[in-house]
Amino acid sequence: MNGKAGKGSAYGWLLQRITGIFLAFFLILHFQVLHFPGKWKLIELADVSQRLGHTGWVIFYFIFVPAGLFHAFNGLWQVINDYRPRAGTGRAVKTVLWIVGIVMSVWGYYLLFGPFKQGV
C-alpha cells in the first residue's frame, strides 16, 4: 500500500478548504436573504427575477452552484477513497462523480437563469 499523496490529492485538499470557506459565507448570505428576511413571506418568482437582474447576484450564484457541488462531490470522493478502491473502480467512480457534478452544475444554471431568458 502506497501512502504517498499525489498532486491531485493536494489540489483536491486545497480546493475543499477554499470551497468550504466560500460556502460558509455564501450559505449565511443565502439564508439571510432568502429564508430570514425579517418577516415571513413566500419566495416569489418576481423577487428572484429582480435579484437576478443585479450583476452581483449573478456572480454570487455562478460561484455558489459549482462551489457547493465540488465541495459535496469531492468530499464524497474522499470518503470513497478512504476504502481504497481498486484502480479501475476508483477511476470509474471518480469519472461518474465528475460527470454527475458537471450535469448538475449545468442543470443548476439552467434552473437559475433559463426561465428569465424566456421573459418570465
Side-chain angles (χ1 to χ4, degrees), residues 110 113-120:
Y110 172 75
F113 304 110
F116 304 109
K117 286 185 178 180
Q118 299 169 0
V120 173

Side-chain angles (χ1 to χ4, degrees), residues 86-105:
R86 293 187 195 138
T89 304
R91 275 193 304 275
V93 169
K94 197 172 193 177
T95 301
V96 167
L97 290 175
W98 271 103
I99 290 170
V100 171
I102 290 169
V103 167
M104 288 180 75
S105 288

Side-chain angles (χ1 to χ4, degrees), residues 4-77:
K4 291 183 179 180
K7 283 184 180 179
S9 298
Y11 292 135
W13 179 89
L14 180 63
L15 284 173
Q16 189 74 4
R17 272 64 186 169
I18 291 170
T19 56
I21 291 168
F22 276 121
L23 289 175
F25 171 72
F26 287 170
L27 283 172
I28 290 168
L29 184 61
H30 171 81
F31 273 95
Q32 185 177 5
V33 169
L34 286 176
H35 303 288
F36 305 118
K39 62 179 182 175
W40 189 87
K41 70 176 217 167
L42 291 174
I43 300 170
E44 296 180 3
L45 183 60
D47 298 332
V48 175
S49 63
Q50 181 182 6
R51 190 170 48 256
L52 289 176
H54 300 315
T55 306
W57 282 108
V58 171
I59 293 169
F60 172 86
Y61 283 114
F62 260 87
I63 296 170
F64 187 45
V65 169
L69 287 168
F70 177 84
H71 192 82
F73 283 114
N74 188 54
L76 179 60
W77 168 246

